[in-house]
Amino acid sequence: MTLEFKGIHHVSALTAKGQENYDFYTKVLGLRLIKKTVNQDDPSVYHLFYGDEKGNPGTELTFFEIPRAGRFHAGTNSISATSLRVPNDEALQYWRERFDTMQVEHEEIRERAGRSTLAFQDHEGQRLILVSDEHNQGVPGGTVWDKSPVPAAYGIIGLGPVQLTVQHAQATIDVLTDIMGFRVAGQYASSVAGQPDIVVLETGQGGTGAEVHVEERADLPAERPGRGSVHHVAFRVDNEEELRQWIGRISEARLPNSGFVDRFYFRSLYFREPNGILFELATDGPGFDTDEDIHHLGESLALPPFLEDRREQIEAVLKPIDTKVE
């Protein structure tokens, strides 16, 4: 059986203020908070998951809240931009006007990899790009939550291409193609004069929901992570059986890795590619309605079973986040 990822599963980033993060991603971007839980490796901090109507794989943008995190300093060996898919080119016009009205810092609409895009930043400098799905023939998007403040015709329907900025592009490309089964799908000019073209790689059905864009920048220092930076990107694995096959392949390639990790909502494997960027492989299920009713996702603190007996002490150190839907 040929092993192949189904696309991007989720992207996890860092924030210093959970409440402000919730307000931006739900009230400005119109995403649904699908899970309010904790970092399973450090239960003293929140892990917030946003996505479509039920947090389908490929729509999840997540944040670890690190209250004392300093501001990141952009550079190489980083996930330097996360794309969010919108239905068509017309939606970008809506978002440009919305960002102007809501005073969100943004660039102008321009083409990237043959698609119309609109780059912007959140209140902590998180680098985001809206990408039009108008001509997408690849992985289908999700479904906008019916309580979103953004009209469904313009709403965010999932994660788009993830950009990696590295010092040595070929080393990253080799791992993506030779070990992880990605295909080189093209390239496009860097926005920085004199820099190499950005290489587009795809997996599965391809398209906006299944691409990694690799940018080589030998002129930059390594990124210093902090609030506003991205922690890791995860790729979609169909089920646990396939995940265990991937664990074998990654181990055979002698890439140090975490081995099998049960995250309750999905099963995972973690490893770093040659430039030090953290990759995760995550199964599509069991899903976020495993411990909450689908109609009430994210309304209260959810804990995996192995942390439930520590609920009282965990809740005691977390600053409450008001997640009432108006």
Side-chain angles (χ1 to χ4, degrees), residues 220-292:
L220 296 176
E223 179 165 296
R224 286 169 51 192
R227 65 181 188 274
S229 65
V230 177
H231 188 266
H232 67 267
V233 57
F235 302 102
R236 292 177 62 188
V237 176
D238 193 45
N239 53 50
E240 184 175 324
E241 178 185 357
E242 283 194 17
L243 177 64
R244 293 190 181 278
Q245 292 182 58
W246 276 112
I247 292 172
R249 177 177 290 187
I250 299 301
S251 297
E252 286 173 10
R254 299 190 175 182
L255 290 171
N257 64 82
S258 65
F260 180 86
V261 179
D262 186 349
R263 293 301 190 197
F264 187 59
Y265 306 111
F266 44 83
R267 321 299 185 217
S268 297
L269 167 76
Y270 299 85
F271 66 98
R272 292 189 185 276
E273 55 78 50
N275 283 288
I277 296 172
L278 183 62
F279 286 170
E280 178 183 358
L281 312 185
T283 59
D284 272 3
F288 292 102
D289 56 353
T290 300
D291 58 352
E292 291 183 301

Side-chain angles (χ1 to χ4, degrees), residues 73-121:
H73 294 270
T76 61
N77 305 342
S78 67
I79 299 171
S80 55
T82 302
S83 301
L84 302 170
R85 300 161 64 181
V86 295
N88 47 44
D89 293 355
E90 181 184 351
L92 294 179
Q93 303 293 337
Y94 166 86
W95 281 101
R96 181 170 59 182
E97 294 174 10
R98 183 175 178 85
F99 289 160
D100 284 340
T101 300
M102 304 187 83
Q103 298 183 316
V104 174
E105 183 178 342
H106 68 88
E107 297 179 6
E108 288 305 307
I109 295 171
R110 72 175 181 88
E111 185 177 298
R112 288 178 172 85
R115 306 182 185 103
S116 292
T117 66
L118 175 61
F120 68 103
Q121 295 185 5

Side-chain angles (χ1 to χ4, degrees), residues 33-279:
L33 179 68
I34 51 174
K35 191 64 60 176
K36 180 170 63 173
T37 184
V38 294
N39 181 347
Q40 294 181 13
D41 300 321
D42 179 6
S44 68
V45 300
Y46 280 115
H47 192 181
L48 306 175
F49 288 75
Y50 304 96
D52 72 347
E53 61 173 357
K54 60 180 180 180
N56 283 300
T59 74
E60 305 158 23
L61 182 58
T62 95
F63 289 86
F64 299 110
E65 184 198 34
I66 313 295
R68 296 183 180 180
R71 175 70 187 270
F72 80 96
H73 294 270
T76 61
N77 305 342
S78 67
I79 299 171
S80 55
T82 302
S83 301
L84 302 170
R85 300 161 64 181
V86 295
N88 47 44
D89 293 355
E90 181 184 351
L92 294 179
Q93 303 293 337
Y94 166 86
W95 281 101
R96 181 170 59 182
E97 294 174 10
R98 183 175 178 85
F99 289 160
D100 284 340
T101 300
M102 304 187 83
Q103 298 183 316
V104 174
E105 183 178 342
H106 68 88
E107 297 179 6
E108 288 305 307
I109 295 171
R110 72 175 181 88
E111 185 177 298
R112 288 178 172 85
R115 306 182 185 103
S116 292
T117 66
L118 175 61
F120 68 103
Q121 295 185 5
D122 76 0
H123 53 290
E124 293 179 307
Q126 187 70 235
R127 296 153 292 179
L128 301 160
I129 302 172
L130 293 179
V131 57
S132 169
D133 247 15
E134 181 141 330
H135 303 294
N136 180 50
Q137 300 295 320
V139 178
T143 303
V144 178
W145 189 34
D146 60 10
K147 293 185 176 62
S148 173
V150 175
Y154 305 128
I156 292 169
I157 56 174
L159 291 168
V162 171
Q163 180 170 300
L164 312 181
T165 296
V166 297
Q167 291 180 328
H168 307 289
Q170 195 58 52
T172 296
I173 292 169
D174 286 347
V175 167
L176 286 166
T177 55
D178 296 347
I179 299 172
M180 299 174 68
F182 277 75
R183 309 175 295 273
V184 175
Q187 58 188 34
Y188 61 99
S190 170
S191 61
V192 181
Q195 296 303 315
D197 286 352
I198 296 171
V199 180
V200 177
L201 299 106
E202 66 178 10
T203 186
Q205 291 178 259
T208 46
E211 288 182 359
V212 172
H213 296 186
V214 180
E215 174 190 40
E216 183 170 90
R217 292 291 300 276
D219 60 321
L220 296 176
E223 179 165 296
R224 286 169 51 192
R227 65 181 188 274
S229 65
V230 177
H231 188 266
H232 67 267
V233 57
F235 302 102
R236 292 177 62 188
V237 176
D238 193 45
N239 53 50
E240 184 175 324
E241 178 185 357
E242 283 194 17
L243 177 64
R244 293 190 181 278
Q245 292 182 58
W246 276 112
I247 292 172
R249 177 177 290 187
I250 299 301
S251 297
E252 286 173 10
R254 299 190 175 182
L255 290 171
N257 64 82
S258 65
F260 180 86
V261 179
D262 186 349
R263 293 301 190 197
F264 187 59
Y265 306 111
F266 44 83
R267 321 299 185 217
S268 297
L269 167 76
Y270 299 85
F271 66 98
R272 292 189 185 276
E273 55 78 50
N275 283 288
I277 296 172
L278 183 62
F279 286 170

Side-chain angles (χ1 to χ4, degrees), residues 12-30:
S12 292
L14 304 180
T15 181
K17 296 183 178 180
Q19 184 68 60
E20 292 181 10
N21 182 267
Y22 170 81
D23 290 343
F24 184 86
Y25 287 90
T26 61
K27 298 175 183 178
V28 177
L29 295 191

